[in-house]
Amino acid sequence: MAYPASIATTTPRRSNNVDRPVVWILASANPSQQTSPLTVIHPIPFSIGRKSGNSLQLSSRAVSSQHAELDIHDGQLILKDLQSTNGTYVNGQRVTSPVVVRVDDLVQIADVAFRVRCDDHATATNTISEDICDQALALVQFDRMMETRMVTPFFQPIIDVSDSSVRGFEVLARSRMFGLETSAAMFSAASRLNMEVELSQMLRWEGIREALSLPDMNRMYLNTHPLELDRDDLVRNVAATREYAGDMPITLEIHEAAITNPAAMRELRKAMRDIQVDIAYDDFGAGQNRLTELIESPPDVLKFDMSLIRNIDKATPERQRMVASLVRIVLDLGVTPLAEGIETAEEAEVCSEIGFQLAQGYFYGRPMIPKAIYCNA
């Protein structure tokens, strides 16, 4: 099997008593460059130049025949200029002697620029395995997906339990790129390049762009990544999406596990209210039931995880009473409770009796593309 990139690893690093080889990658910093989006560094030493026979051959006339070389010493990536005519640069500084390059450094080979990336999630092994090659292929696919925005938003209906009317849609991520079809696969690749936030932002934007083509102005439930809560640009990014969406109602979903700072959540909710965006806490009950955080910084909607809902019609009376008590607490806080993962009429009936106001799941509708929603409208 042929792969679009080669593989190199550093001396394995130790993390939680497990050795993990680090795969170093050169990511093209300019989409117009006539180079592969991602080049995984191998063999070591890794030569770069215009002449054929280099590990990485660049077609630019500004690049010398044998321009620069990358090597690994003591787990560090070392860059050396080979007396090139137009120079080798790291973050704008010309290389005059071997230098250590690190993740996110900008490396210029004459007029060709790369960003240094690494994947330290590779399978623990002392040899190069096909699994790492498959991971490298996924990273190449991910880079192309981000550049071309080749994602297909799907929309799963959110239902009013009282009359079964559609109250909105959760926007879910799918991709047309091989190996990245699901959101889990996309975010797995993104994590290896520290691009989870960029991916999450792009998926929200593409989701709203597609949502504007829907027949009715339904509320859109947009997801966030937990890392975004630590970023200063979350509010600014959502505000831009809000402006683009016009009058479309928007709810921002935040995973329950990320809700650890009530003061920060109150501040975020105020900022969202200022731009007319509601907040939903997602997957409540999947991990810790964060009742303290829920009481101190309540959202607009609380989505109960499917682990609490699945087979609730067959659950013990004690379990049903426990869920019902949580629903009452939520209602007393002025929060709308939503049951996720409903798959049967029996589950739907019990959730209605318990007091859920909104519901979501295959029983009401699977994720659909806009065309399918038009046909059902």
Side-chain angles (χ1 to χ4, degrees):
M1 179 177 181
Y3 294 96
S6 303
I7 307 298
T9 62
T10 70
T11 302
R13 71 171 55 165
R14 184 169 296 277
S15 176
N16 297 326
N17 296 321
V18 177
D19 289 334
R20 294 180 181 272
V22 176
V23 178
W24 289 98
I25 299 160
L26 292 178
S28 176
N30 184 346
S32 65
Q33 289 176 185
Q34 299 301 309
T35 60
S36 298
L38 296 176
T39 300
V40 185
I41 297 169
H42 183 75
I44 291 298
F46 183 84
S47 59
I48 305 171
R50 194 177 72 251
K51 185 178 179 181
S52 62
N54 282 289
S55 307
L56 175 59
Q57 184 179 6
L58 302 175
S59 59
S60 171
R61 291 183 177 273
V63 175
S64 298
S65 297
Q66 293 179 313
H67 195 105
E69 182 179 88
L70 287 161
D71 207 343
I72 292 174
H73 292 290
D74 297 327
Q76 293 185 309
L77 190 63
I78 309 297
L79 176 65
K80 178 172 67 174
D81 182 76
L82 301 179
Q83 297 183 334
S84 64
T85 301
N86 293 305
T88 302
Y89 299 81
V90 175
N91 300 325
Q93 298 294 317
R94 186 160 186 165
V95 173
T96 57
S97 59
V99 297
V100 175
V101 289
R102 298 176 174 84
V103 174
D104 290 335
D105 279 351
L106 184 68
V107 172
Q108 283 181 255
I109 308 298
D111 60 350
V112 184
F114 299 93
R115 187 73 66 179
V116 177
R117 305 291 192 193
C118 81
D119 171 13
D120 61 358
H121 296 260
T123 302
T125 177
N126 291 326
T127 60
I128 305 306
S129 68
E130 185 171 315
D131 178 63
I132 298 181
C133 292
D134 289 340
Q135 292 178 31
L137 178 59
L139 296 182
V140 172
Q141 291 284 79
F142 177 81
D143 187 84
R144 292 172 181 165
M145 182 193 75
M146 293 294 290
E147 183 178 343
T148 59
R149 306 177 82 85
M150 289 186 66
V151 294
T152 303
F154 277 59
F155 301 86
Q156 186 172 30
I158 291 173
I159 304 299
D160 188 319
V161 171
S162 65
D163 59 9
S164 296
S165 62
V166 176
R167 290 283 299 276
F169 292 91
E170 180 180 355
V171 182
L172 301 170
R174 301 291 186 269
S175 169
R176 291 164 281 176
M177 302 295 290
F178 177 75
L180 299 173
E181 293 87 352
T182 66
S183 60
M186 283 186 265
F187 277 101
S188 176
S191 69
R192 296 188 175 102
L193 297 171
N194 298 317
M195 292 184 65
E196 299 99 316
V197 170
E198 289 79 4
L199 174 60
S200 182
Q201 292 174 345
M202 188 265 281
L203 293 177
R204 281 199 299 273
W205 188 267
E206 291 300 305
I208 285 296
R209 188 179 63 81
E210 285 290 332
L212 290 173
S213 69
L214 295 178
D216 298 311
M217 191 67 74
N218 286 289
R219 177 173 292 276
M220 290 295 137
Y221 286 69
L222 304 177
N223 287 286
T224 60
H225 190 278
L227 290 178
E228 292 188 87
L229 297 184
D230 297 325
R231 291 275 294 261
D232 294 334
D233 60 348
L234 174 60
V235 175
R236 184 169 62 254
N237 179 267
V238 175
T241 306
R242 162 79 282 166
E243 183 177 0
Y244 181 72
D247 295 329
M248 178 178 290
I250 292 176
T251 295
L252 194 68
E253 294 196 19
I254 298 171
H255 193 277
E256 179 258 358
I259 305 162
T260 58
N261 186 334
M265 291 309 304
R266 287 194 295 271
E267 185 177 340
L268 176 62
R269 189 179 185 193
K270 180 182 182 302
M272 290 296 107
R273 280 181 169 173
D274 289 343
I275 58 174
Q276 298 182 317
V277 172
D278 286 353
I279 283 182
Y281 292 168
D282 192 19
D283 295 332
F284 179 76
Q288 302 178 45
N289 291 334
R290 300 183 183 278
L291 293 175
T292 300
E293 289 86 346
L294 174 64
I295 293 170
E296 292 186 13
S297 55
D300 298 286
V301 176
L302 186 69
K303 302 182 76 172
F304 281 64
D305 186 72
M306 65 178 64
S307 63
L308 294 175
I309 306 302
R310 187 66 46 80
N311 295 320
I312 194 169
D313 55 306
K314 301 173 184 177
T316 63
E318 292 78 12
R319 180 176 177 83
Q320 290 184 3
R321 285 197 296 270
M322 181 271 291
V323 176
S325 67
L326 290 173
V327 169
R328 285 195 297 273
I329 292 172
V330 169
L331 289 170
D332 288 344
L333 291 170
V335 177
T336 301
L338 184 155
E340 289 188 292
I342 295 179
E343 294 191 348
T344 67
E346 292 76 16
E347 290 174 350
E349 182 178 356
V350 172
C351 285
S352 177
E353 293 171 355
I354 284 177
F356 281 101
Q357 295 179 335
L358 298 176
Q360 181 179 359
Y362 285 178
F363 174 70
Y364 298 106
R366 291 176 177 268
M368 298 175 286
I369 59 175
K371 183 179 179 180
I373 297 174
Y374 271 111
C375 292
N376 293 334

